[in-house]
Amino acid sequence: MIKPYSLIAALLLSSTLLAAPQSHASHSHSDKHPAPAQQAHLHGIAQLTLALEGNVLEISLESPAINIVGFEHRATSEKHIKAVEKATASLQAAKLFLFSGSACRLKQARVDMSSVIEQGGQHSHGHKDRDSHSEINANYSYECIKGEELETVSANLISLFPAIETLEVMWLTESQQGAITLTAQSNLIRIR
């Protein structure tokens, strides 16, 4: 039996292969960015991967920090710290994803905001972080009652984080895989 993490690894590999021919269509907000084939950080775009094996659904989100908290540097002001806390709470909410065909229960949500906030009392010295392209990652583990009957997943990320203009989704089940781009007008991922 393949572990869900193996499915995610396979999904990420296939997303790299599928994205390669489309890399010429990428754009950036600055001439300082590398050539499109080398880009991984585009404002307004986030990536979501879903892997379903049996009754276990793993979901992974990767997004530039600016899409989630409104900035990309270390949070030092009270306003920025509150923005990080609010975004963290939103990303850990059980209703971030809705399901049809099978009931799925959130078992674990892991949100990594370390690129924009001090973790565990560690302090950053200098201003190097201000010019970086910070990423936010979140991983979710769901247990579905009948995974084989799961039909759709609604991703409520764009409504919660309007700076995400498009959500590039790759999904994988034991029998098929697919890709879709979600927008504010369409948040439904149909896996069956």
Side-chain angles (χ1 to χ4, degrees), residues 145-183:
I145 292 174
K146 293 184 178 181
E148 71 277 4
E149 294 181 10
L150 182 63
E151 294 175 3
T152 65
V153 178
S154 296
N156 296 320
L157 290 158
I158 296 174
S159 63
L160 289 172
F161 303 103
I164 299 175
E165 298 167 12
T166 58
L167 187 60
E168 297 173 345
V169 180
M170 296 287 300
W171 57 267
L172 176 70
T173 68
E174 293 172 285
S175 61
Q176 56 190 348
Q177 67 179 18
I180 187 169
T181 299
L182 303 182
T183 64

Side-chain angles (χ1 to χ4, degrees), residues 68-69 74 83-84 87-88 91 111-119 135-137:
I68 305 296
V69 295
R74 291 272 184 197
V84 171
T88 300
L91 287 171
V111 178
D112 180 3
M113 293 280 196
S114 62
S115 67
V116 292
I117 198 154
E118 306 290 330
Q119 299 288 318
E135 299 285 326
I136 291 176
N137 298 294

